[in-house]
């Protein structure tokens, strides 16, 4: 059982929902990423999604695209991101870390070299936005051999047949994108999400995390009621952008945003 599966199983047994924050590695500076990861955990994160900066983040809105620009301005590479996780693991061997990004950096590094380095660093899962499962034949065996969970996206338009197919190739959890569009682009429709997530649960035994549109404790609780976890990205990345000049203030701002979400999710515990 992977670290992701262990954490999600424990939470389920407690009647609790996963809080999964996303930040972009190297933003606002590579030297700050590990410190910010620990801040997220202290504020209540169960799993961390760590974005690998990329020059053409096609699924992301302007907030995360600008974060990628800031990280790339400091020459943040995939190898550096992996090294950040290895550094994080010196003090935290419990919190799962999922790398989220695009295929090109992984392809440039080499699939096997990436899988070896990721496993050695203590990375637990990989979500590659532009790698559909039917095109993952080269990487899937490498990930499986190293206990790396491949995580794939589901959309509001995903058909039942495709939900089943994606789930068969996934482990850890599946990531349901709550609306059509890019990150940070719209207000979430909780009733619509509830209906879709309920239907996804009928088609897969995997936990379902919901991302896109989670902005505060209220939306976290609303989505937490109908899912296994909430994924929080753009609002955190925007907080980093607005507080990047002062690290202490940045850490307080992230905590002030994330901790109420943790409390709101825990209030749902049955």
């Amino acid at each position: 059982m992977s670290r992701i599966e262990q954490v999600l199983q424990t939470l389920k047994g407690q009647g609790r929902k996963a809080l999964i924050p996303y930040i972009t590695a190297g933003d606002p500076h590579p030297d700050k990423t590990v410190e910010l990861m620990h801040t997220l955990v202290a504020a209540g994160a169960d799993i961390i999604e760590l974005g690998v900066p990329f020059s053409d983040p096609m699924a992301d809105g302007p907030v995360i695209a600008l974060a990628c620009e800031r990280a790339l301005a400091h020459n943040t590479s995939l190898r550096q991101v992996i090294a950040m996780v290895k550094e994080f693991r010196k003090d935290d061997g419990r919190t799962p870390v999922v790398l989220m990004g695009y295929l090109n950096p992984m392809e440039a590094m080499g699939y096997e070299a990436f899988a070896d380095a990721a496993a050695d660093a203590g990375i637990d899962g990989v979500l590659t936005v532009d790698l559909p499962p039917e095109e993952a034949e080269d990487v899937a065996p490498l990930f499986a051999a190293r206990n790396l969970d491949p995580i794939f996206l589901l959309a509001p338009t995903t058909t039942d047949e495709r939900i089943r197919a994606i789930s068969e190739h996934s482990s850890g959890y599946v990531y349901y994108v709550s609306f059509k569009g890019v990150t940070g682009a719209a207000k979430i429709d909780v009733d619509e999400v509830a209906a879709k997530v309920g239907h996804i649960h009928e088609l897969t035994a995997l936990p379902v995390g919901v991302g896109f549109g989670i902005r505060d404790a209220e939306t976290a609780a609303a989505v937490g009621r109908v899912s296994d976890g909430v994924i929080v990205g753009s609002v955190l990345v925007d907080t980093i952008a607005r507080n990047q000049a002062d690290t202490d203030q940045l850490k307080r701002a992230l905590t002030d945003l994330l901790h109420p979400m943790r409390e709101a999710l825990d209030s749902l515990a049955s």
Side-chain angles (χ1 to χ4, degrees), residues 21-38:
Y22 165 97
I23 60 173
T24 302
D27 176 39
H29 190 279
D31 292 344
K32 303 299 181 185
T33 298
V34 173
E35 188 175 0
L36 295 184
M37 291 171 70
H38 287 303

Side-chain angles (χ1 to χ4, degrees), residues 114-128:
F114 166 76
D116 284 340
D120 178 68
I123 290 164
D124 302 284
V126 182
L127 196 168
T128 309

Side-chain angles (χ1 to χ4, degrees), residues 239 242-243 245-256:
T239 298
R242 289 186 286 104
N243 294 276
D246 184 333
T247 301
D248 289 338
Q249 174 57 33
L250 170 55
K251 290 163 65 178
R252 286 193 295 270
L254 290 174
T255 300
D256 289 346

Side-chain angles (χ1 to χ4, degrees), residues 192-253:
E192 186 177 294
V193 170
K196 187 67 176 184
V197 171
H199 186 62
I200 293 169
H201 275 139
E202 294 173 358
L203 301 174
T204 178
L206 287 171
V208 180
V210 176
F212 288 42
I214 315 297
R215 298 181 176 276
D216 51 27
E218 181 180 0
T219 51
V223 172
R225 286 187 184 94
V226 301
S227 68
D228 301 295
V230 299
I231 301 162
V232 188
S234 292
V235 68
L236 293 172
V237 176
D238 183 58
T239 298
I240 291 172
R242 289 186 286 104
N243 294 276
Q244 58 184 298
D246 184 333
T247 301
D248 289 338
Q249 174 57 33
L250 170 55
K251 290 163 65 178
R252 286 193 295 270

Side-chain angles (χ1 to χ4, degrees), residues 58-92:
M58 59 187 179
D60 295 301
V63 170
I64 293 178
L66 287 170
C68 286
E69 289 184 15
R70 291 191 295 271
L72 292 172
H74 295 294
N75 300 310
T76 305
S77 67
L78 176 56
R79 290 185 184 276
Q80 285 179 303
V81 175
I82 293 169
M84 291 172 191
V85 179
K86 193 166 188 174
E87 181 68 22
F88 173 76
R89 284 281 171 248
K90 292 180 180 179
D91 296 305
D92 189 322

